């Protein structure tokens, strides 16, 4: 018996915020995005991360805010929303108890961390040797007290990457 798969095409121009084309395609080391509330920057960033996680099945993401208790209502909610918007929610398990997301097919992880104790964040390791921590997202980066925190975490996300993969840190500001 043949199993039918329903694949729906999604037009990304209809999904992402206007004016984000250059950001969407950028593969450089660091991106700083500034915008006011309602500019769709956080939603567009979340959509891009979920899209990239699909395209790069060995990549993992570290999503951060200054304090851990703000995660569930911000980056966690945005990335969960983006997985639904891109119809990837059946592939991802968003755990509220551990505040982590895991791809059921690839094992990829999205780590959610507060920068309250940045030394613990900088030492995140992935237990699957096939996966790599490539990307970081500093949401509401203006909240970060010390530039040193940002720099040290950014530097900790390095290592050998599979062909075609890239490291990138995104800092978003209001």
């Amino acid at each position: 018996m043949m199993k039918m798969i329903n694949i729906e095409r999604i037009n990304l121009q209809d999904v992402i915020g206007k004016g984000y084309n250059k950001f969407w395609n950028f593969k450089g080391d660091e991106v700083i995005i500034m915008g006011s509330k309602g500019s769709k920057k956080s939603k567009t960033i979340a959509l891009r991360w979920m899209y990239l996680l699909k395209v790069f099945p060995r990549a993992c993401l570290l999503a951060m805010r200054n304090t851990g208790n703000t995660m569930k209502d911000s980056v966690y909610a945005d990335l969960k929303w983006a997985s639904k918007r891109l119809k990837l929610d059946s592939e991802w398990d968003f755990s509220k108890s551990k505040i982590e997301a895991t791809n059921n097919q690839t094992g990829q992880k999205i780590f959610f961390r507060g920068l309250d104790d940045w030394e613990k964040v900088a030492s995140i390791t992935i237990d699957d040797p096939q996966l790599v921590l490539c990307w970081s997202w500093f949401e509401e980066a203006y909240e970060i007290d010390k530039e040193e925190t940002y720099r040290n975490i950014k530097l900790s996300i390095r290592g050998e990457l599979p062909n075609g993969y890239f490291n990138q840190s995104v800092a978003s500001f209001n």
Side-chain angles (χ1 to χ4, degrees):
M1 185 162 123
M2 182 183 255
K3 184 177 180 179
M4 296 299 289
I5 298 173
N6 182 14
I7 298 175
E8 181 180 340
R9 290 190 61 106
I10 297 171
N11 182 343
L12 288 176
Q13 288 182 331
D14 294 340
V15 175
I16 65 172
K18 299 236 186 275
Y20 289 102
N21 187 44
K22 189 174 182 179
F23 161 66
W24 191 270
N25 295 302
F26 185 68
K27 301 270 191 306
D29 181 57
E30 183 177 48
V31 179
I32 296 174
I33 297 181
M34 295 180 168
S36 61
K37 290 184 188 264
S39 65
K40 293 187 180 179
K41 74 180 169 314
S42 296
K43 297 292 189 199
T44 300
I45 293 167
L47 287 164
R48 181 176 179 261
W49 285 134
M50 295 310 298
Y51 171 79
L52 288 173
L53 287 162
K54 181 67 176 176
V55 172
F56 296 93
R58 295 179 61 192
C60 296
L61 168 68
L62 172 59
M64 297 158 285
R65 282 200 63 170
N66 193 47
T67 54
N69 66 358
T70 59
M71 287 302 208
K72 284 185 185 173
D73 297 328
S74 60
V75 291
Y76 178 91
D78 284 340
L79 287 161
K80 189 172 182 178
W81 169 86
S83 75
K84 290 178 182 178
R85 185 68 176 93
L86 294 177
K87 301 183 184 339
L88 300 173
D89 52 317
S90 65
E91 296 178 21
W92 286 90
D93 176 32
F94 281 81
S95 169
K96 279 191 177 179
S97 61
K98 198 173 180 184
I99 310 181
E100 186 175 275
T102 304
N103 185 299
N104 302 318
Q105 298 172 359
T106 63
Q108 290 168 285
K109 299 272 187 197
I110 301 173
F111 301 97
F112 298 91
R113 297 292 189 273
L115 297 175
D116 318 75
D117 190 0
W118 71 265
E119 288 92 352
K120 290 181 181 175
V121 175
S123 64
I124 288 178
T125 56
I126 300 171
D127 59 3
D128 183 339
Q130 296 302 309
L131 300 175
V132 291
L133 183 56
C134 299
W135 304 317
S136 60
W137 177 15
F138 296 85
E139 172 68 328
E140 304 297 358
Y142 71 89
E143 296 173 342
I144 301 171
D145 294 338
K146 300 176 186 167
E147 185 180 333
E148 170 190 13
T149 301
Y150 173 78
R151 207 174 31 250
N152 287 337
I153 291 173
K154 194 171 157 285
L155 288 172
S156 71
I157 301 176
R158 293 290 174 265
E160 195 170 325
L161 298 176
N163 269 352
Y165 283 59
F166 61 98
N167 287 119
Q168 188 172 82
S169 292
V170 173
S172 50
F173 292 84
N174 268 337

